[in-house]
Amino acid sequence: MSEPNYTINHDIPSVDTYRHLRQASGLSAKTLEAASRGLPNSLFAVQITHAGETVAMGRVIGDGGTFYQVVDIAVLPAHQGRGLGKKVMTEIQAFIEREVPASAYVSLLADGEAYRLYQQYGFTLTAPASVGMALKKA
């Protein structure tokens, strides 16, 4: 990180912080119910704070043995371009190296050009061998 006024912690964000950071950074909104149910099930979480405010986050979810997914990589717009997304991914990569079994499958969905960030951490495009799919409940 280029500025020393940022602090990294490995705590799951509060529901309010999580919902705010997702929306403010351009990710899809999550309901209070969804966030309240999902966040406690995180396998790993990282937050970056600045002046007492969480300005970046990321999580790893999964079954803890065979499948893991990197989710919720978000940086507030006012703090983008300062290497915070890379720092979040560095913390997640360290968790993966330390905790994830060799045969596990670690995946993520990259929006737009974000795949370029994830490639720096060893993630590769899976198409055409496999293609991501989604089912969104209305």
Side-chain angles (χ1 to χ4, degrees):
M1 289 183 296
S2 58
E3 296 184 34
N5 296 327
Y6 291 100
T7 303
I8 298 168
N9 67 66
H10 294 163
D11 297 321
I12 297 170
S14 71
V15 169
D16 290 339
T17 296
Y18 172 80
R19 293 179 71 218
H20 168 70
L21 210 58
R22 280 191 61 88
Q23 286 188 282
S25 66
L27 299 178
S28 62
K30 297 298 178 195
T31 65
L32 180 63
E33 178 185 11
S36 297
R37 284 187 189 190
L39 287 172
N41 297 312
S42 303
L43 297 175
F44 177 78
V46 58
Q47 296 182 69
I48 298 177
T49 59
H50 180 268
E53 175 188 22
T54 299
V55 298
M57 70 174 179
R59 295 189 309 135
V60 178
I61 60 173
D63 66 12
T66 58
F67 292 95
Y68 297 77
Q69 188 170 30
V70 176
V71 296
D72 299 326
I73 307 301
V75 179
L76 290 179
H79 295 270
Q80 291 177 1
R82 299 178 186 180
L84 300 182
K86 288 181 180 181
K87 189 59 183 165
V88 167
M89 283 305 299
T90 297
E91 297 295 313
I92 287 173
Q93 184 64 30
F95 167 80
I96 291 168
E97 289 175 9
R98 184 176 65 248
E99 300 292 336
V100 175
S103 65
Y105 187 79
V106 182
S107 63
L108 59 79
L109 294 173
D111 295 334
E113 296 294 310
Y115 75 91
R116 295 180 192 279
L117 168 65
Y118 306 127
Q119 284 178 326
Q120 296 174 43
Y121 296 89
F123 288 87
T124 59
L125 299 171
T126 59
S130 60
V131 179
M133 299 177 70
L135 172 65
K136 292 185 179 183
K137 185 174 176 182

